[in-house]
Amino acid sequence: MRARVHFTVAELDPAGLQDRTVVVLDILRATSSMVAALAAGARAIYPASNPEEAVRLASSLGREDTLLCGERKGLKVEGFHLGNSPAEFTPEKVAGKRLIMNTTNGTRALLSVTTAERVYVAALLNLAAVARVVARAEELTILCAGREDRFALEDAVCAGLLLERISELRDEEPELDDAASAAVVLSESFTPDAEFLAETIAGQALAEIGLGGDAQDCARLDVHDIVPVMSERMIRLEDAS
Ligand code: MLT
């Protein structure tokens, strides 16, 4: 396996993705919320590029069984059903529903890799399940959503942890680019628990708007044995076996 890591969406060359398996990470919080939503029984998630597109998509899919979700500056978009906290995505609210989601960084990262051969959605919540599936890939790209084209430590640490898990599952060590090697070193230096997430810049920003508890929900390592996969701009579950 040859593995690359991009720490921001700006580093990505979408033209070079055709033969690659891509994993998208946005630990605080978009991919964590997506994993929580699918684990709670959501039927599918449609990333939208802005709130207006989300509303248009909801109208074309039919408003029944469709929920608008997402944030601006961390808070629920006005008029949307749900924000971007994993705890909001309960079976009572999302089971059987189609979710249309727009967030500042996470959905942008997903929409930037639609040319890839395979796209998986990962968080700490489902890291082991995703590692098992992507360990078979030969050309792997891990895309960290980052924060508005800036490095986000929690995404980088999770990227390194994913690479460590993959190496444990393969006979041969993956060949890493420099960013991937740096991510592995970071994952050896930090424990991705709630305290660590709370101390990151994104974690502090969440605490400032009263959503500090989300760090706890996003830090729950390997609690969901599910693998969300995006195809034609729609994210659904793949069999994790
Ligand atoms: C995003 O996608 O920009 C983030 O998940 C922001 C947030 O924490 O809501």
Side-chain angles (χ1 to χ4, degrees), residues 123-198:
L124 292 168
L125 309 179
N126 68 335
L127 204 66
V130 173
R132 271 203 311 278
V133 169
V134 302
R136 304 173 203 141
E138 285 311 314
E139 303 287 345
L140 178 69
T141 293
I142 303 175
L143 175 61
C144 300
R147 296 192 81 218
E148 294 175 77
D149 290 333
R150 298 180 72 175
F151 178 87
L153 182 59
E154 67 281 7
D155 292 346
V157 166
C158 186
L161 200 56
L162 178 60
L163 288 165
E164 285 187 358
R165 296 274 180 90
I166 290 169
S167 332
E168 285 161 19
L169 293 165
R170 288 180 65 99
D171 298 333
E172 283 171 27
E173 285 288 315
E175 285 174 34
L176 307 182
D177 74 354
D178 284 358
S181 299
V184 170
V185 171
L186 287 171
S187 70
E188 289 164 352
S189 312
F190 294 96
T191 305
D193 55 16
E195 198 182 3
F196 162 73
L197 291 184

Coordinates of all heavy atoms in Angstrom, one line a residue, residues 123-198:
A123 N -14.4 8.3 11.6 CA -14.3 9.1 12.8 C -13.6 8.2 13.9 O -13.4 7.0 13.6 CB -15.7 9.5 13.3
L124 N -13.3 8.7 15.0 CA -12.8 7.8 16.1 C -13.8 6.7 16.4 O -13.5 5.6 16.7 CB -12.5 8.6 17.3 CG -11.3 9.5 17.2 CD1 -11.2 10.5 18.4 CD2 -9.9 8.7 17.1
L125 N -15.1 7.1 16.2 CA -16.2 6.2 16.6 C -16.2 4.9 15.8 O -16.8 3.9 16.2 CB -17.6 6.9 16.3 CG -17.8 8.3 16.9 CD1 -19.1 8.9 16.6 CD2 -17.6 8.2 18.4
N126 N -15.7 4.9 14.5 CA -15.8 3.7 13.7 C -14.4 3.4 13.1 O -14.3 2.8 12.0 CB -16.8 3.9 12.6 CG -16.4 4.9 11.6 OD1 -15.6 5.8 11.9 ND2 -16.9 4.8 10.4
L127 N -13.3 3.8 13.8 CA -12.0 3.7 13.2 C -11.6 2.2 12.8 O -11.1 2.0 11.8 CB -11.0 4.3 14.1 CG -9.7 4.8 13.3 CD1 -10.0 5.9 12.4 CD2 -8.7 5.2 14.3
A128 N -11.9 1.3 13.8 CA -11.4 -0.1 13.5 C -12.2 -0.7 12.3 O -11.5 -1.4 11.5 CB -11.7 -0.9 14.8
A129 N -13.4 -0.4 12.2 CA -14.2 -0.9 11.0 C -13.7 -0.4 9.7 O -13.5 -1.1 8.7 CB -15.7 -0.6 11.2
V130 N -13.4 0.9 9.7 CA -12.9 1.5 8.4 C -11.5 1.0 8.1 O -11.1 0.6 7.0 CB -12.8 3.1 8.5 CG1 -12.1 3.7 7.3 CG2 -14.3 3.6 8.6
A131 N -10.6 0.8 9.2 CA -9.3 0.3 9.0 C -9.3 -1.1 8.3 O -8.6 -1.4 7.4 CB -8.5 0.2 10.3
R132 N -10.3 -1.9 8.8 CA -10.4 -3.3 8.2 C -10.7 -3.2 6.8 O -10.1 -4.0 6.0 CB -11.5 -4.0 8.9 CG -11.1 -4.8 10.2 CD -12.1 -5.9 10.5 NE -13.5 -5.6 10.4 CZ -14.1 -5.0 11.5 NH1 -13.5 -4.7 12.6 NH2 -15.4 -4.7 11.4
V133 N -11.6 -2.3 6.4 CA -12.0 -2.3 4.9 C -10.9 -1.7 4.1 O -10.5 -2.2 3.0 CB -13.3 -1.5 4.8 CG1 -13.6 -1.2 3.3 CG2 -14.4 -2.3 5.4
V134 N -10.3 -0.6 4.5 CA -9.3 0.1 3.6 C -7.9 -0.5 3.7 O -7.1 -0.2 2.9 CB -9.2 1.6 3.9 CG1 -10.5 2.3 3.7 CG2 -8.6 1.9 5.3
A135 N -7.7 -1.5 4.6 CA -6.4 -2.1 4.7 C -6.1 -2.9 3.4 O -5.0 -3.2 3.1 CB -6.3 -3.1 5.9
R136 N -7.2 -3.2 2.6 CA -7.0 -3.9 1.4 C -6.6 -3.0 0.2 O -6.3 -3.5 -0.9 CB -8.3 -4.6 1.0 CG -8.9 -5.5 2.0 CD -10.3 -6.0 1.6 NE -11.1 -6.4 2.8 CZ -12.4 -6.2 3.0 NH1 -13.1 -5.6 2.0 NH2 -13.0 -6.6 4.0
A137 N -6.7 -1.7 0.4 CA -6.4 -0.8 -0.7 C -4.9 -0.8 -1.1 O -4.1 -1.0 -0.2 CB -6.9 0.6 -0.3
E138 N -4.6 -0.5 -2.3 CA -3.2 -0.3 -2.7 C -2.8 1.2 -2.7 O -1.7 1.5 -2.4 CB -3.0 -1.0 -4.1 CG -2.9 -2.5 -4.0 CD -2.0 -3.0 -2.9 OE1 -0.9 -2.5 -2.8 OE2 -2.4 -3.9 -2.2
E139 N -3.8 2.0 -3.1 CA -3.5 3.5 -3.1 C -4.5 4.2 -2.2 O -5.7 4.3 -2.5 CB -3.7 4.0 -4.6 CG -2.8 3.3 -5.6 CD -1.4 3.7 -5.5 OE1 -1.1 4.7 -4.9 OE2 -0.6 3.0 -6.1
L140 N -4.0 4.6 -1.1 CA -4.9 5.2 -0.1 C -4.6 6.7 0.1 O -3.4 7.1 0.3 CB -4.7 4.5 1.3 CG -5.5 5.0 2.4 CD1 -7.0 4.7 2.2 CD2 -5.1 4.4 3.8
T141 N -5.6 7.5 0.2 CA -5.5 8.9 0.5 C -6.4 9.1 1.8 O -7.6 8.8 1.8 CB -6.0 9.8 -0.6 OG1 -5.1 9.7 -1.7 CG2 -6.1 11.3 -0.2
I142 N -5.8 9.7 2.8 CA -6.6 10.2 4.0 C -6.7 11.7 3.9 O -5.7 12.4 3.9 CB -5.9 9.7 5.3 CG1 -5.7 8.2 5.3 CG2 -6.8 10.1 6.5 CD1 -5.0 7.6 6.5
L143 N -7.9 12.1 3.8 CA -8.1 13.6 3.7 C -8.7 14.1 5.1 O -9.8 13.7 5.5 CB -9.1 13.9 2.6 CG -9.5 15.4 2.5 CD1 -8.3 16.3 2.3 CD2 -10.6 15.6 1.4
C144 N -7.9 14.9 5.7 CA -8.4 15.6 7.0 C -9.1 16.9 6.5 O -8.6 17.7 5.8 CB -7.2 16.0 7.8 SG -6.1 14.6 8.3
A145 N -10.3 17.0 7.1 CA -11.1 18.2 6.7 C -10.4 19.5 7.2 O -10.5 20.6 6.5 CB -12.5 18.1 7.3
G146 N -9.7 19.4 8.3 CA -9.0 20.6 8.9 C -10.1 21.7 9.2 O -11.3 21.4 9.3
R147 N -9.6 22.9 9.4 CA -10.5 24.1 9.8 C -10.2 25.2 8.8 O -9.2 25.9 8.9 CB -10.2 24.5 11.2 CG -10.5 23.5 12.3 CD -10.5 24.1 13.6 NE -11.7 24.8 13.9 CZ -11.8 25.9 14.6 NH1 -10.8 26.6 15.0 NH2 -13.0 26.5 14.8
E148 N -11.1 25.3 7.8 CA -11.0 26.4 6.9 C -9.5 26.5 6.3 O -8.9 27.5 6.4 CB -11.5 27.7 7.5 CG -13.0 27.5 7.7 CD -13.6 28.7 8.5 OE1 -13.8 29.7 7.8 OE2 -13.8 28.6 9.7
D149 N -9.1 25.4 5.7 CA -7.8 25.2 5.1 C -6.6 25.4 6.1 O -5.5 25.7 5.6 CB -7.7 26.2 3.9 CG -8.5 25.8 2.8 OD1 -8.8 24.5 2.7 OD2 -9.0 26.6 2.0
R150 N -6.9 25.2 7.3 CA -5.8 25.1 8.3 C -5.8 23.8 9.0 O -6.8 23.1 9.1 CB -6.0 26.2 9.3 CG -5.9 27.6 8.7 CD -6.1 28.7 9.6 NE -4.9 28.9 10.4 CZ -4.7 29.9 11.3 NH1 -5.7 30.7 11.5 NH2 -3.6 29.9 12.0
F151 N -4.6 23.4 9.4 CA -4.3 22.1 10.1 C -5.2 22.0 11.3 O -5.3 22.9 12.1 CB -2.8 22.1 10.5 CG -2.4 20.9 11.2 CD1 -1.9 19.8 10.5 CD2 -2.3 20.9 12.6 CE1 -1.5 18.7 11.2 CE2 -1.9 19.8 13.3 CZ -1.4 18.7 12.6
A152 N -5.7 20.8 11.5 CA -6.5 20.5 12.7 C -5.9 19.3 13.4 O -5.8 18.2 12.8 CB -8.0 20.2 12.4
L153 N -5.3 19.4 14.6 CA -4.6 18.4 15.3 C -5.4 17.1 15.4 O -4.9 16.0 15.2 CB -4.1 18.9 16.6 CG -3.2 18.0 17.4 CD1 -1.9 17.5 16.7 CD2 -2.8 18.6 18.8
E154 N -6.7 17.2 15.8 CA -7.5 16.0 16.1 C -7.6 15.2 14.8 O -7.6 13.9 14.9 CB -8.8 16.4 16.7 CG -9.8 17.1 15.8 CD -9.5 18.6 15.7 OE1 -8.5 19.1 16.2 OE2 -10.4 19.3 15.1
D155 N -7.7 15.8 13.6 CA -7.9 15.1 12.4 C -6.5 14.4 12.1 O -6.5 13.2 11.7 CB -8.2 16.0 11.2 CG -9.6 16.6 11.3 OD1 -10.4 16.1 12.2 OD2 -9.9 17.5 10.6
A156 N -5.4 15.1 12.3 CA -4.1 14.5 12.0 C -3.8 13.3 12.9 O -3.3 12.3 12.4 CB -3.0 15.6 12.2
V157 N -4.1 13.4 14.2 CA -3.9 12.3 15.1 C -4.7 11.1 14.7 O -4.3 10.0 14.7 CB -4.2 12.8 16.6 CG1 -4.3 11.6 17.5 CG2 -3.1 13.8 17.0
C158 N -6.0 11.4 14.3 CA -6.8 10.2 13.9 C -6.3 9.6 12.6 O -6.3 8.4 12.4 CB -8.3 10.7 13.7 SG -9.4 9.4 13.4
A159 N -5.8 10.4 11.7 CA -5.2 9.9 10.4 C -4.0 8.9 10.8 O -3.9 7.8 10.2 CB -4.7 11.0 9.5
G160 N -3.2 9.4 11.7 CA -2.1 8.5 12.1 C -2.5 7.2 12.8 O -1.9 6.2 12.5
L161 N -3.5 7.4 13.6 CA -4.1 6.2 14.3 C -4.6 5.2 13.3 O -4.4 4.0 13.4 CB -5.2 6.6 15.2 CG -5.6 5.7 16.4 CD1 -4.4 5.3 17.2 CD2 -6.6 6.4 17.2
L162 N -5.3 5.7 12.2 CA -5.8 4.8 11.2 C -4.7 4.1 10.5 O -4.7 2.9 10.2 CB -6.6 5.7 10.2 CG -7.2 5.0 9.0 CD1 -8.2 3.8 9.4 CD2 -8.0 5.9 8.1
L163 N -3.6 4.8 10.2 CA -2.5 4.2 9.5 C -1.8 3.1 10.4 O -1.4 2.1 9.9 CB -1.4 5.3 9.1 CG -1.9 6.2 8.0 CD1 -1.0 7.4 7.9 CD2 -1.9 5.4 6.7
E164 N -1.8 3.4 11.7 CA -1.2 2.4 12.6 C -2.1 1.1 12.6 O -1.6 0.0 12.6 CB -1.2 2.9 14.0 CG 0.0 3.9 14.2 CD 0.1 4.3 15.7 OE1 -0.7 3.9 16.5 OE2 1.0 5.1 16.0
R165 N -3.4 1.3 12.6 CA -4.3 0.2 12.6 C -4.1 -0.6 11.3 O -4.2 -1.8 11.3 CB -5.8 0.7 12.7 CG -6.1 1.4 14.0 CD -6.5 0.4 15.0 NE -6.9 1.0 16.3 CZ -8.1 1.4 16.6 NH1 -9.1 1.3 15.8 NH2 -8.3 1.8 17.8
I166 N -4.0 0.1 10.2 CA -3.8 -0.5 8.9 C -2.6 -1.4 8.9 O -2.5 -2.5 8.5 CB -3.8 0.5 7.8 CG1 -5.2 1.1 7.6 CG2 -3.4 -0.1 6.5 CD1 -5.3 2.4 6.7
S167 N -1.5 -0.8 9.4 CA -0.2 -1.5 9.4 C -0.3 -2.8 10.2 O 0.3 -3.8 9.9 CB 1.0 -0.8 10.0 OG 1.0 0.4 10.0
E168 N -1.1 -2.8 11.3 CA -1.3 -4.0 12.1 C -2.0 -5.1 11.4 O -1.8 -6.3 11.6 CB -2.1 -3.7 13.4 CG -1.3 -2.9 14.5 CD -2.2 -2.2 15.5 OE1 -3.4 -2.6 15.6 OE2 -1.7 -1.3 16.1
L169 N -2.8 -4.7 10.4 CA -3.6 -5.6 9.7 C -2.9 -6.2 8.4 O -3.4 -7.1 7.8 CB -5.0 -5.0 9.2 CG -5.9 -4.6 10.4 CD1 -7.0 -3.6 9.9 CD2 -6.5 -5.9 11.0
R170 N -1.9 -5.5 8.0 CA -1.2 -5.9 6.7 C 0.1 -6.6 7.0 O 0.8 -6.3 8.0 CB -1.0 -4.7 5.9 CG -2.2 -4.1 5.3 CD -1.9 -2.9 4.4 NE -1.0 -3.3 3.3 CZ -1.5 -3.4 2.0 NH1 -2.8 -3.2 1.8 NH2 -0.7 -3.7 1.0
D171 N 0.5 -7.5 6.1 CA 1.8 -8.2 6.3 C 3.0 -7.2 6.0 O 4.0 -7.2 6.7 CB 2.0 -9.4 5.3 CG 0.9 -10.4 5.7 OD1 0.5 -10.4 6.8 OD2 0.5 -11.1 4.7
E172 N 2.8 -6.3 5.0 CA 3.8 -5.4 4.6 C 3.5 -4.0 5.2 O 2.3 -3.6 5.1 CB 3.9 -5.2 3.1 CG 4.6 -6.4 2.5 CD 4.5 -6.3 1.0 OE1 4.4 -5.2 0.4 OE2 4.6 -7.4 0.3
E173 N 4.5 -3.3 5.6 CA 4.2 -1.9 6.1 C 3.8 -1.0 4.9 O 4.4 -1.1 3.8 CB 5.6 -1.3 6.6 CG 6.0 -1.8 8.0 CD 5.1 -1.3 9.1 OE1 4.9 -0.1 9.1 OE2 4.7 -2.1 9.9
P174 N 2.8 -0.1 5.1 CA 2.5 0.8 4.0 C 3.6 1.7 3.7 O 4.4 2.1 4.6 CB 1.3 1.6 4.6 CG 0.8 0.8 5.8 CD 2.0 0.0 6.3
E175 N 3.7 2.1 2.5 CA 4.7 3.2 2.1 C 4.0 4.5 2.4 O 3.0 4.8 1.8 CB 5.1 3.2 0.6 CG 6.0 2.1 0.2 CD 6.1 2.0 -1.3 OE1 6.1 3.1 -1.9 OE2 6.2 0.9 -1.8
L176 N 4.6 5.4 3.2 CA 4.0 6.6 3.7 C 4.6 7.8 3.0 O 5.8 7.9 2.9 CB 4.1 6.8 5.2 CG 3.6 5.6 6.0 CD1 3.7 5.9 7.5 CD2 2.2 5.2 5.7
D177 N 3.8 8.8 2.6 CA 4.4 10.1 2.2 C 4.8 10.9 3.5 O 4.5 10.4 4.7 CB 3.5 10.9 1.3 CG 2.3 11.5 1.9 OD1 2.0 11.3 3.1 OD2 1.6 12.3 1.2
D178 N 5.4 12.0 3.4 CA 5.9 12.7 4.6 C 4.7 13.1 5.5 O 4.9 13.0 6.7 CB 6.6 14.0 4.1 CG 8.0 13.7 3.6 OD1 8.4 12.5 3.6 OD2 8.7 14.7 3.2
A179 N 3.6 13.5 4.9 CA 2.5 13.9 5.8 C 1.9 12.7 6.6 O 1.6 12.8 7.8 CB 1.4 14.6 5.0
A180 N 1.9 11.6 5.9 CA 1.5 10.3 6.6 C 2.4 9.9 7.7 O 2.0 9.6 8.8 CB 1.3 9.2 5.5
S181 N 3.7 10.1 7.4 CA 4.7 9.8 8.5 C 4.5 10.7 9.7 O 4.6 10.3 10.9 CB 6.1 9.9 8.0 OG 6.4 9.1 6.9
A182 N 4.3 12.0 9.4 CA 4.1 13.0 10.5 C 2.8 12.6 11.3 O 2.8 12.7 12.5 CB 4.0 14.4 9.9
A183 N 1.8 12.2 10.6 CA 0.5 11.8 11.2 C 0.7 10.7 12.2 O 0.2 10.7 13.3 CB -0.6 11.5 10.2
V184 N 1.5 9.7 11.8 CA 1.8 8.5 12.6 C 2.6 9.0 13.9 O 2.2 8.6 15.0 CB 2.6 7.4 11.9 CG1 3.1 6.4 12.8 CG2 1.7 6.8 10.8
V185 N 3.6 9.9 13.7 CA 4.3 10.4 14.9 C 3.4 11.1 15.8 O 3.4 10.9 17.1 CB 5.5 11.3 14.4 CG1 6.1 12.0 15.6 CG2 6.5 10.5 13.6
L186 N 2.4 11.9 15.3 CA 1.5 12.6 16.1 C 0.6 11.7 16.9 O 0.3 11.9 18.1 CB 0.6 13.6 15.3 CG 1.3 14.8 14.8 CD1 0.5 15.6 13.8 CD2 1.7 15.7 16.0
S187 N 0.2 10.6 16.2 CA -0.7 9.7 16.9 C 0.0 8.9 18.0 O -0.7 8.4 18.9 CB -1.4 8.7 15.9 OG -0.4 7.8 15.4
E188 N 1.3 8.9 17.9 CA 2.1 8.2 19.0 C 2.3 9.2 20.2 O 2.6 8.8 21.3 CB 3.5 7.7 18.5 CG 3.3 6.5 17.6 CD 4.5 6.3 16.7 OE1 5.5 7.1 16.7 OE2 4.6 5.2 16.0
S189 N 2.1 10.5 19.9 CA 2.4 11.5 20.9 C 1.1 12.0 21.7 O 1.2 12.6 22.7 CB 2.9 12.8 20.2 OG 4.0 12.4 19.4
F190 N -0.1 11.7 21.1 CA -1.3 12.2 21.8 C -2.3 11.0 21.9 O -2.4 10.1 21.0 CB -2.0 13.2 20.9 CG -1.2 14.5 20.8 CD1 -0.4 14.7 19.7 CD2 -1.3 15.5 21.8 CE1 0.3 15.9 19.6 CE2 -0.6 16.7 21.7 CZ 0.2 16.9 20.6
T191 N -3.0 11.0 23.0 CA -4.1 10.0 23.2 C -5.4 10.6 22.8 O -5.7 11.7 23.3 CB -4.2 9.6 24.7 OG1 -2.9 9.1 25.1 CG2 -5.2 8.4 24.9
P192 N -6.1 10.1 21.8 CA -7.3 10.8 21.3 C -8.5 10.6 22.2 O -9.5 10.0 21.8 CB -7.5 10.1 19.9 CG -7.0 8.7 20.1 CD -5.9 8.8 21.1
D193 N -8.4 11.1 23.4 CA -9.5 10.9 24.3 C -10.3 12.3 24.4 O -9.9 13.3 23.8 CB -9.1 10.5 25.7 CG -8.0 11.4 26.3 OD1 -7.8 12.5 25.8 OD2 -7.3 11.0 27.3
A194 N -11.3 12.3 25.3 CA -12.1 13.5 25.3 C -11.3 14.8 25.8 O -11.5 15.9 25.3 CB -13.3 13.3 26.3
E195 N -10.4 14.5 26.7 CA -9.6 15.6 27.2 C -8.7 16.2 26.1 O -8.6 17.5 25.9 CB -8.7 15.1 28.3 CG -8.2 16.2 29.2 CD -7.2 15.6 30.3 OE1 -7.0 14.3 30.3 OE2 -6.8 16.4 31.1
F196 N -8.1 15.3 25.3 CA -7.3 15.8 24.2 C -8.2 16.6 23.2 O -7.8 17.7 22.8 CB -6.7 14.6 23.5 CG -6.2 14.9 22.1 CD1 -5.1 15.7 21.9 CD2 -6.9 14.4 21.0 CE1 -4.6 15.9 20.6 CE2 -6.5 14.7 19.7 CZ -5.4 15.5 19.5
L197 N -9.3 16.1 22.8 CA -10.2 16.8 21.9 C -10.6 18.1 22.4 O -10.7 19.1 21.7 CB -11.4 15.9 21.5 CG -11.2 14.6 20.7 CD1 -12.6 14.0 20.4 CD2 -10.4 14.9 19.4
A198 N -10.9 18.2 23.7 CA -11.4 19.4 24.3 C -10.3 20.5 24.3 O -10.6 21.7 24.2 CB -11.8 19.2 25.7

